[in-house]
Amino acid sequence: MYRPRRNFLWLSVTAVISLLAVSCGQSKVAQCNQMIQVANQAVSDAKVVTSGVQEENPQAEAMRQAAAVMDKASEEMNAIDVTDETLEDYQASFVNMYRDTSQAMRNFAVAFEQKDRQGAETAQVSLQQATTPEKQLVDNLNAYCSGQ
């Protein structure tokens, strides 16, 4: 026997559950905004730390502090709940870039303190390689998030 009332109720419950499941996750825009906020904060914090390189904040210590900033940015970026596949790729790229940058900064600090010129030069090259993708990554993320 056909029961339109029961089918309508079942359809309504299914629709509500579907809407709740979709609305519980963050929108692409919200995910983009979180990622951009973390990236901007990382740059801002790194500038603050490295601009204080003077007698009271020697270069090796400034590099360690900047490495800690990159570690924090990596953790914060990784903690963002991303559901969009493209944003997941950007997220992974940022996390890797921050980790590589942090490691290169720590290597530079050690070489600088040990007065190891070759080690410092190697670390500097690693640092440049780690940060090279930043501009393109940020530009691509911004373009994707703005729908261009």
Side-chain angles (χ1 to χ4, degrees):
M1 173 181 258
Y2 179 69
R3 297 184 183 187
R5 187 177 202 183
R6 184 173 180 197
N7 287 341
F8 179 74
L9 178 62
W10 182 250
L11 183 61
S12 297
V13 168
T14 304
V16 168
I17 290 172
S18 297
L19 285 173
L20 285 175
V22 170
S23 66
C24 287
Q26 292 184 339
S27 70
K28 174 184 159 186
V29 172
Q31 294 170 31
C32 283
N33 288 339
Q34 284 183 310
M35 291 177 69
I36 291 167
Q37 181 180 359
V38 170
N40 288 340
Q41 191 64 50
V43 170
S44 175
D45 290 351
K47 283 182 181 178
V48 167
V49 170
T50 56
S51 70
V53 175
Q54 301 190 359
E55 293 300 320
E56 66 275 358
N57 191 15
Q59 191 167 7
E61 182 57 27
M63 288 301 244
R64 279 194 184 83
Q65 290 174 359
V69 166
M70 293 298 111
D71 288 339
K72 179 182 172 199
S74 176
E75 291 169 11
E76 289 176 354
M77 186 66 75
N78 200 38
I80 298 171
D81 185 24
V82 178
T83 55
D84 180 280
E85 285 185 36
T86 302
L87 288 179
E88 285 177 348
D89 291 341
Y90 288 130
Q91 180 184 39
S93 295
F94 272 106
V95 167
N96 289 333
M97 181 184 68
Y98 292 143
R99 287 181 182 159
D100 293 347
T101 301
S102 172
Q103 186 60 54
M105 289 176 166
R106 283 190 171 78
N107 291 345
F108 182 86
V110 168
F112 185 82
E113 286 178 333
Q114 295 176 351
K115 299 183 183 355
D116 176 5
R117 181 182 173 102
Q118 181 65 35
E121 288 174 359
T122 301
Q124 185 176 12
V125 169
S126 295
L127 181 57
Q128 289 171 342
Q129 289 173 342
T131 58
T132 296
E134 181 188 24
K135 182 179 179 350
Q136 189 65 49
L137 189 55
V138 169
D139 290 346
N140 291 347
L141 177 64
N142 285 332
Y144 180 74
C145 290
S146 66
Q148 297 176 355

CSV table of all heavy atoms in Angstrom, one decimal, residues 61-113:
chain,number,residue,atom,x,y,z
A,61,GLU,N,69.9,33.9,17.5
A,61,GLU,CA,68.7,33.9,18.3
A,61,GLU,C,67.4,34.3,17.5
A,61,GLU,O,66.4,33.7,17.6
A,61,GLU,CB,68.8,34.7,19.6
A,61,GLU,CG,67.7,34.7,20.5
A,61,GLU,CD,67.3,33.3,21.0
A,61,GLU,OE1,68.1,32.4,21.1
A,61,GLU,OE2,66.1,33.1,21.3
A,62,ALA,N,67.6,35.3,16.7
A,62,ALA,CA,66.5,35.8,15.8
A,62,ALA,C,66.1,34.7,14.9
A,62,ALA,O,64.9,34.5,14.7
A,62,ALA,CB,66.9,37.0,15.1
A,63,MET,N,67.0,33.9,14.3
A,63,MET,CA,66.7,32.8,13.5
A,63,MET,C,66.0,31.7,14.2
A,63,MET,O,65.0,31.1,13.7
A,63,MET,CB,67.9,32.2,12.8
A,63,MET,CG,68.5,33.2,11.7
A,63,MET,SD,67.3,33.5,10.4
A,63,MET,CE,68.2,32.8,9.1
A,64,ARG,N,66.4,31.4,15.4
A,64,ARG,CA,65.6,30.4,16.2
A,64,ARG,C,64.2,30.9,16.5
A,64,ARG,O,63.3,30.1,16.5
A,64,ARG,CB,66.4,30.2,17.6
A,64,ARG,CG,67.5,29.2,17.4
A,64,ARG,CD,68.0,28.7,18.8
A,64,ARG,NE,69.2,27.9,18.6
A,64,ARG,CZ,70.4,28.4,18.5
A,64,ARG,NH1,70.7,29.7,18.5
A,64,ARG,NH2,71.4,27.6,18.3
A,65,GLN,N,64.1,32.2,16.8
A,65,GLN,CA,62.7,32.7,17.1
A,65,GLN,C,61.9,32.6,15.8
A,65,GLN,O,60.7,32.3,15.9
A,65,GLN,CB,62.8,34.1,17.6
A,65,GLN,CG,63.3,34.2,19.1
A,65,GLN,CD,63.6,35.6,19.5
A,65,GLN,OE1,63.3,36.6,18.8
A,65,GLN,NE2,64.0,35.7,20.8
A,66,ALA,N,62.5,33.0,14.7
A,66,ALA,CA,61.7,32.9,13.4
A,66,ALA,C,61.4,31.5,13.1
A,66,ALA,O,60.3,31.2,12.6
A,66,ALA,CB,62.6,33.5,12.3
A,67,ALA,N,62.3,30.5,13.4
A,67,ALA,CA,62.0,29.1,13.2
A,67,ALA,C,60.8,28.7,14.1
A,67,ALA,O,59.9,27.9,13.6
A,67,ALA,CB,63.2,28.3,13.5
A,68,ALA,N,60.7,29.2,15.3
A,68,ALA,CA,59.6,28.9,16.2
A,68,ALA,C,58.3,29.4,15.6
A,68,ALA,O,57.2,28.8,15.7
A,68,ALA,CB,59.8,29.4,17.6
A,69,VAL,N,58.4,30.6,15.0
A,69,VAL,CA,57.2,31.2,14.3
A,69,VAL,C,56.7,30.3,13.2
A,69,VAL,O,55.5,30.1,13.0
A,69,VAL,CB,57.5,32.6,13.8
A,69,VAL,CG1,56.5,33.1,12.8
A,69,VAL,CG2,57.7,33.6,15.0
A,70,MET,N,57.7,29.8,12.4
A,70,MET,CA,57.3,28.9,11.3
A,70,MET,C,56.7,27.6,11.8
A,70,MET,O,55.8,27.1,11.2
A,70,MET,CB,58.6,28.6,10.4
A,70,MET,CG,59.1,29.8,9.6
A,70,MET,SD,57.9,30.5,8.5
A,70,MET,CE,57.5,32.1,9.3
A,71,ASP,N,57.3,27.1,12.9
A,71,ASP,CA,56.7,25.9,13.5
A,71,ASP,C,55.3,26.1,13.9
A,71,ASP,O,54.4,25.3,13.6
A,71,ASP,CB,57.5,25.4,14.7
A,71,ASP,CG,58.9,24.8,14.4
A,71,ASP,OD1,59.1,24.4,13.2
A,71,ASP,OD2,59.7,24.8,15.2
A,72,LYS,N,55.0,27.2,14.5
A,72,LYS,CA,53.7,27.6,14.9
A,72,LYS,C,52.7,27.7,13.7
A,72,LYS,O,51.6,27.2,13.7
A,72,LYS,CB,53.7,28.9,15.7
A,72,LYS,CG,52.3,29.3,16.2
A,72,LYS,CD,52.4,30.7,17.0
A,72,LYS,CE,51.0,31.2,17.3
A,72,LYS,NZ,51.0,32.6,17.6
A,73,ALA,N,53.2,28.4,12.7
A,73,ALA,CA,52.4,28.5,11.5
A,73,ALA,C,52.1,27.2,10.8
A,73,ALA,O,51.0,26.9,10.4
A,73,ALA,CB,53.1,29.4,10.5
A,74,SER,N,53.1,26.3,10.8
A,74,SER,CA,52.9,25.0,10.3
A,74,SER,C,51.8,24.2,11.1
A,74,SER,O,50.9,23.6,10.5
A,74,SER,CB,54.2,24.2,10.4
A,74,SER,OG,54.0,22.9,9.9
A,75,GLU,N,51.9,24.3,12.4
A,75,GLU,CA,50.9,23.6,13.2
A,75,GLU,C,49.5,24.2,13.0
A,75,GLU,O,48.5,23.5,12.9
A,75,GLU,CB,51.3,23.7,14.7
A,75,GLU,CG,52.5,22.9,15.1
A,75,GLU,CD,53.0,23.2,16.4
A,75,GLU,OE1,52.4,23.9,17.2
A,75,GLU,OE2,54.2,22.7,16.7
A,76,GLU,N,49.4,25.5,13.0
A,76,GLU,CA,48.1,26.2,12.8
A,76,GLU,C,47.5,25.9,11.4
A,76,GLU,O,46.3,25.7,11.3
A,76,GLU,CB,48.2,27.7,13.0
A,76,GLU,CG,48.5,28.1,14.5
A,76,GLU,CD,48.7,29.6,14.7
A,76,GLU,OE1,48.8,30.3,13.7
A,76,GLU,OE2,48.8,30.0,15.9
A,77,MET,N,48.4,25.9,10.4
A,77,MET,CA,47.9,25.6,9.1
A,77,MET,C,47.4,24.2,9.0
A,77,MET,O,46.3,23.9,8.4
A,77,MET,CB,49.0,25.9,8.0
A,77,MET,CG,48.6,25.7,6.6
A,77,MET,SD,47.4,27.0,6.0
A,77,MET,CE,48.4,28.4,5.8
A,78,ASN,N,48.1,23.3,9.6
A,78,ASN,CA,47.8,21.9,9.6
A,78,ASN,C,46.5,21.6,10.3
A,78,ASN,O,45.8,20.7,10.0
A,78,ASN,CB,48.9,21.0,10.1
A,78,ASN,CG,48.9,19.6,9.7
A,78,ASN,OD1,48.5,19.3,8.6
A,78,ASN,ND2,49.2,18.7,10.6
A,79,ALA,N,46.2,22.4,11.3
A,79,ALA,CA,45.0,22.2,12.2
A,79,ALA,C,43.7,22.7,11.5
A,79,ALA,O,42.6,22.3,12.0
A,79,ALA,CB,45.2,23.0,13.5
A,80,ILE,N,43.8,23.4,10.4
A,80,ILE,CA,42.6,23.9,9.8
A,80,ILE,C,41.9,22.7,9.1
A,80,ILE,O,42.5,21.9,8.4
A,80,ILE,CB,42.9,25.0,8.7
A,80,ILE,CG1,43.6,26.2,9.4
A,80,ILE,CG2,41.7,25.4,7.9
A,80,ILE,CD1,44.1,27.2,8.4
A,81,ASP,N,40.6,22.6,9.4
A,81,ASP,CA,39.8,21.5,8.8
A,81,ASP,C,39.4,21.8,7.4
A,81,ASP,O,38.5,22.6,7.2
A,81,ASP,CB,38.6,21.2,9.7
A,81,ASP,CG,37.8,20.0,9.3
A,81,ASP,OD1,38.4,19.1,8.6
A,81,ASP,OD2,36.6,20.0,9.5
A,82,VAL,N,40.2,21.3,6.5
A,82,VAL,CA,40.0,21.6,5.1
A,82,VAL,C,39.3,20.4,4.4
A,82,VAL,O,39.7,19.3,4.5
A,82,VAL,CB,41.3,21.9,4.4
A,82,VAL,CG1,41.1,22.2,2.9
A,82,VAL,CG2,42.0,23.1,5.0
A,83,THR,N,38.2,20.7,3.6
A,83,THR,CA,37.5,19.7,3.0
A,83,THR,C,37.6,19.7,1.4
A,83,THR,O,37.4,18.8,0.8
A,83,THR,CB,36.0,19.7,3.3
A,83,THR,OG1,35.5,21.0,3.1
A,83,THR,CG2,35.8,19.4,4.8
A,84,ASP,N,38.0,20.9,0.9
A,84,ASP,CA,38.2,21.1,-0.5
A,84,ASP,C,39.5,20.5,-0.9
A,84,ASP,O,40.5,20.8,-0.3
A,84,ASP,CB,38.1,22.6,-0.8
A,84,ASP,CG,38.3,22.9,-2.2
A,84,ASP,OD1,39.4,22.9,-2.7
A,84,ASP,OD2,37.2,23.2,-2.9
A,85,GLU,N,39.5,19.7,-2.0
A,85,GLU,CA,40.7,19.0,-2.4
A,85,GLU,C,41.8,19.9,-2.8
A,85,GLU,O,43.0,19.7,-2.5
A,85,GLU,CB,40.4,18.0,-3.5
A,85,GLU,CG,39.7,16.7,-3.1
A,85,GLU,CD,39.6,15.8,-4.2
A,85,GLU,OE1,40.5,15.7,-5.1
A,85,GLU,OE2,38.5,15.1,-4.2
A,86,THR,N,41.5,21.0,-3.5
A,86,THR,CA,42.5,21.9,-3.9
A,86,THR,C,43.1,22.7,-2.7
A,86,THR,O,44.3,22.9,-2.7
A,86,THR,CB,41.9,22.9,-4.9
A,86,THR,OG1,41.3,22.2,-6.1
A,86,THR,CG2,42.9,24.0,-5.4
A,87,LEU,N,42.2,23.0,-1.8
A,87,LEU,CA,42.7,23.7,-0.6
A,87,LEU,C,43.6,22.7,0.3
A,87,LEU,O,44.5,23.2,0.9
A,87,LEU,CB,41.5,24.2,0.3
A,87,LEU,CG,40.8,25.4,-0.3
A,87,LEU,CD1,39.7,25.8,0.6
A,87,LEU,CD2,41.8,26.6,-0.5
A,88,GLU,N,43.3,21.4,0.2
A,88,GLU,CA,44.1,20.5,0.9
A,88,GLU,C,45.5,20.5,0.3
A,88,GLU,O,46.5,20.4,1.1
A,88,GLU,CB,43.5,19.1,0.8
A,88,GLU,CG,42.3,18.8,1.7
A,88,GLU,CD,41.7,17.5,1.5
A,88,GLU,OE1,42.0,16.7,0.6
A,88,GLU,OE2,40.8,17.1,2.4
A,89,ASP,N,45.6,20.6,-1.0
A,89,ASP,CA,46.9,20.6,-1.6
A,89,ASP,C,47.7,21.9,-1.2
A,89,ASP,O,48.9,21.9,-0.9
A,89,ASP,CB,46.8,20.6,-3.2
A,89,ASP,CG,46.3,19.3,-3.7
A,89,ASP,OD1,46.4,18.3,-2.9
A,89,ASP,OD2,45.8,19.2,-4.8
A,90,TYR,N,47.0,23.0,-1.2
A,90,TYR,CA,47.6,24.3,-0.8
A,90,TYR,C,48.0,24.2,0.7
A,90,TYR,O,49.1,24.6,1.1
A,90,TYR,CB,46.7,25.5,-1.0
A,90,TYR,CG,46.5,25.9,-2.4
A,90,TYR,CD1,45.2,26.1,-2.9
A,90,TYR,CD2,47.6,26.1,-3.3
A,90,TYR,CE1,45.0,26.5,-4.2
A,90,TYR,CE2,47.4,26.5,-4.6
A,90,TYR,CZ,46.1,26.6,-5.1
A,90,TYR,OH,45.9,27.0,-6.4
A,91,GLN,N,47.2,23.6,1.5
A,91,GLN,CA,47.5,23.5,2.9
A,91,GLN,C,48.8,22.6,3.1
A,91,GLN,O,49.7,23.0,3.8
A,91,GLN,CB,46.3,22.8,3.6
A,91,GLN,CG,46.5,22.6,5.1
A,91,GLN,CD,45.4,21.8,5.7
A,91,GLN,OE1,44.8,20.9,5.1
A,91,GLN,NE2,45.0,22.2,6.9
A,92,ALA,N,48.9,21.5,2.4
A,92,ALA,CA,50.0,20.7,2.5
A,92,ALA,C,51.3,21.4,2.0
A,92,ALA,O,52.4,21.3,2.6
A,92,ALA,CB,49.8,19.4,1.7
A,93,SER,N,51.2,22.2,1.0
A,93,SER,CA,52.3,23.0,0.5
A,93,SER,C,52.8,24.0,1.5
A,93,SER,O,54.0,24.2,1.7
A,93,SER,CB,51.9,23.7,-0.8
A,93,SER,OG,51.7,22.7,-1.8
A,94,PHE,N,51.8,24.7,2.1
A,94,PHE,CA,52.2,25.7,3.2
A,94,PHE,C,52.9,25.0,4.3
A,94,PHE,O,53.9,25.4,4.8
A,94,PHE,CB,51.0,26.4,3.7
A,94,PHE,CG,50.6,27.7,2.9
A,94,PHE,CD1,49.5,27.7,2.0
A,94,PHE,CD2,51.4,28.8,3.0
A,94,PHE,CE1,49.2,28.8,1.3
A,94,PHE,CE2,51.1,30.0,2.3
A,94,PHE,CZ,50.0,29.9,1.4
A,95,VAL,N,52.3,23.9,4.8
A,95,VAL,CA,52.9,23.2,5.9
A,95,VAL,C,54.3,22.7,5.6
A,95,VAL,O,55.2,22.9,6.4
A,95,VAL,CB,52.0,21.9,6.3
A,95,VAL,CG1,52.7,21.0,7.3
A,95,VAL,CG2,50.7,22.4,6.9
A,96,ASN,N,54.5,22.1,4.4
A,96,ASN,CA,55.9,21.7,4.0
A,96,ASN,C,56.8,22.9,4.0
A,96,ASN,O,58.0,22.8,4.4
A,96,ASN,CB,55.8,21.0,2.7
A,96,ASN,CG,55.2,19.6,2.9
A,96,ASN,OD1,55.2,19.0,3.9
A,96,ASN,ND2,54.6,19.1,1.8
A,97,MET,N,56.3,24.0,3.4
A,97,MET,CA,57.2,25.2,3.2
A,97,MET,C,57.6,25.7,4.6
A,97,MET,O,58.8,26.0,4.9
A,97,MET,CB,56.5,26.3,2.5
A,97,MET,CG,57.3,27.5,2.3
A,97,MET,SD,56.4,28.9,1.5
A,97,MET,CE,55.2,29.3,2.7
A,98,TYR,N,56.6,25.8,5.5
A,98,TYR,CA,56.9,26.3,6.9
A,98,TYR,C,57.9,25.4,7.6
A,98,TYR,O,58.8,25.8,8.3
A,98,TYR,CB,55.7,26.4,7.7
A,98,TYR,CG,54.7,27.5,7.2
A,98,TYR,CD1,53.4,27.4,7.3
A,98,TYR,CD2,55.2,28.7,6.7
A,98,TYR,CE1,52.5,28.4,6.9
A,98,TYR,CE2,54.4,29.7,6.3
A,98,TYR,CZ,53.0,29.6,6.4
A,98,TYR,OH,52.2,30.6,5.9
A,99,ARG,N,57.7,24.1,7.5
A,99,ARG,CA,58.6,23.1,8.1
A,99,ARG,C,60.0,23.2,7.5
A,99,ARG,O,61.0,23.2,8.3
A,99,ARG,CB,58.1,21.7,8.0
A,99,ARG,CG,56.9,21.4,8.9
A,99,ARG,CD,56.4,20.0,8.7
A,99,ARG,NE,55.2,19.8,9.5
A,99,ARG,CZ,54.3,18.9,9.4
A,99,ARG,NH1,54.5,18.0,8.4
A,99,ARG,NH2,53.3,18.8,10.2
A,100,ASP,N,60.1,23.3,6.2
A,100,ASP,CA,61.4,23.4,5.6
A,100,ASP,C,62.1,24.7,5.9
A,100,ASP,O,63.3,24.7,6.2
A,100,ASP,CB,61.3,23.3,4.0
A,100,ASP,CG,60.9,21.9,3.6
A,100,ASP,OD1,60.9,20.9,4.4
A,100,ASP,OD2,60.5,21.8,2.4
A,101,THR,N,61.4,25.7,6.0
A,101,THR,CA,61.9,27.0,6.4
A,101,THR,C,62.4,27.0,7.8
A,101,THR,O,63.5,27.5,8.1
A,101,THR,CB,60.8,28.1,6.2
A,101,THR,OG1,60.4,28.2,4.9
A,101,THR,CG2,61.4,29.5,6.6
A,102,SER,N,61.6,26.4,8.7
A,102,SER,CA,62.0,26.3,10.1
A,102,SER,C,63.3,25.5,10.3
A,102,SER,O,64.2,26.0,11.0
A,102,SER,CB,60.9,25.6,10.9
A,102,SER,OG,61.3,25.4,12.2
A,103,GLN,N,63.4,24.4,9.6
A,103,GLN,CA,64.7,23.6,9.6
A,103,GLN,C,65.9,24.4,9.1
A,103,GLN,O,66.9,24.3,9.7
A,103,GLN,CB,64.5,22.3,8.9
A,103,GLN,CG,65.6,21.3,9.1
A,103,GLN,CD,65.9,21.0,10.5
A,103,GLN,OE1,64.9,20.5,11.2
A,103,GLN,NE2,67.1,21.2,11.0
A,104,ALA,N,65.7,25.1,8.0
A,104,ALA,CA,66.8,25.8,7.4
A,104,ALA,C,67.2,26.9,8.4
A,104,ALA,O,68.4,27.2,8.5
A,104,ALA,CB,66.4,26.4,6.1
A,105,MET,N,66.3,27.6,9.0
A,105,MET,CA,66.6,28.6,10.0
A,105,MET,C,67.4,28.1,11.2
A,105,MET,O,68.4,28.7,11.6
A,105,MET,CB,65.4,29.3,10.5
A,105,MET,CG,64.7,30.2,9.4
A,105,MET,SD,63.1,30.9,10.0
A,105,MET,CE,62.9,32.1,8.8
A,106,ARG,N,67.0,27.0,11.7
A,106,ARG,CA,67.7,26.3,12.8
A,106,ARG,C,69.1,25.9,12.4
A,106,ARG,O,70.1,26.1,13.1
A,106,ARG,CB,66.9,25.1,13.3
A,106,ARG,CG,65.7,25.5,14.1
A,106,ARG,CD,65.1,24.3,14.9
A,106,ARG,NE,64.1,24.8,15.8
A,106,ARG,CZ,62.9,25.1,15.5
A,106,ARG,NH1,62.5,25.1,14.2
A,106,ARG,NH2,62.1,25.6,16.4
A,107,ASN,N,69.2,25.4,11.2
A,107,ASN,CA,70.6,25.0,10.7
A,107,ASN,C,71.5,26.2,10.5
A,107,ASN,O,72.7,26.2,10.8
A,107,ASN,CB,70.5,24.3,9.3
A,107,ASN,CG,69.8,22.9,9.4
A,107,ASN,OD1,69.7,22.4,10.5
A,107,ASN,ND2,69.4,22.4,8.3
A,108,PHE,N,70.9,27.3,10.1
A,108,PHE,CA,71.7,28.6,9.9
A,108,PHE,C,72.1,29.1,11.3
A,108,PHE,O,73.3,29.5,11.5
A,108,PHE,CB,70.8,29.7,9.2
A,108,PHE,CG,71.6,30.9,9.1
A,108,PHE,CD1,72.4,31.1,8.0
A,108,PHE,CD2,71.5,31.9,10.0
A,108,PHE,CE1,73.2,32.3,7.8
A,108,PHE,CE2,72.3,33.1,9.9
A,108,PHE,CZ,73.1,33.3,8.8
A,109,ALA,N,71.2,29.0,12.3
A,109,ALA,CA,71.6,29.5,13.6
A,109,ALA,C,72.7,28.7,14.2
A,109,ALA,O,73.7,29.2,14.8
A,109,ALA,CB,70.4,29.4,14.6
A,110,VAL,N,72.7,27.4,14.0
A,110,VAL,CA,73.8,26.5,14.5
A,110,VAL,C,75.1,26.8,13.8
A,110,VAL,O,76.1,27.0,14.5
A,110,VAL,CB,73.4,25.0,14.4
A,110,VAL,CG1,74.6,24.1,14.6
A,110,VAL,CG2,72.3,24.6,15.3
A,111,ALA,N,75.0,26.9,12.5
A,111,ALA,CA,76.3,27.2,11.7
A,111,ALA,C,76.8,28.6,12.1
A,111,ALA,O,78.0,28.8,12.2
A,111,ALA,CB,76.0,27.2,10.2
A,112,PHE,N,75.9,29.6,12.3
A,112,PHE,CA,76.4,30.9,12.7
A,112,PHE,C,77.1,30.9,14.0
A,112,PHE,O,78.1,31.5,14.2
A,112,PHE,CB,75.1,31.9,12.7
A,112,PHE,CG,75.5,33.3,12.9
A,112,PHE,CD1,75.9,34.1,11.9
A,112,PHE,CD2,75.4,33.8,14.2
A,112,PHE,CE1,76.2,35.4,12.1
A,112,PHE,CE2,75.7,35.2,14.4
A,112,PHE,CZ,76.1,36.0,13.4
A,113,GLU,N,76.5,30.2,15.0
A,113,GLU,CA,77.1,30.2,16.3
A,113,GLU,C,78.4,29.4,16.3
A,113,GLU,O,79.4,29.8,17.0
A,113,GLU,CB,76.2,29.5,17.3
A,113,GLU,CG,75.0,30.4,17.7
A,113,GLU,CD,74.0,29.7,18.6
A,113,GLU,OE1,73.9,28.4,18.6
A,113,GLU,OE2,73.4,30.4,19.4
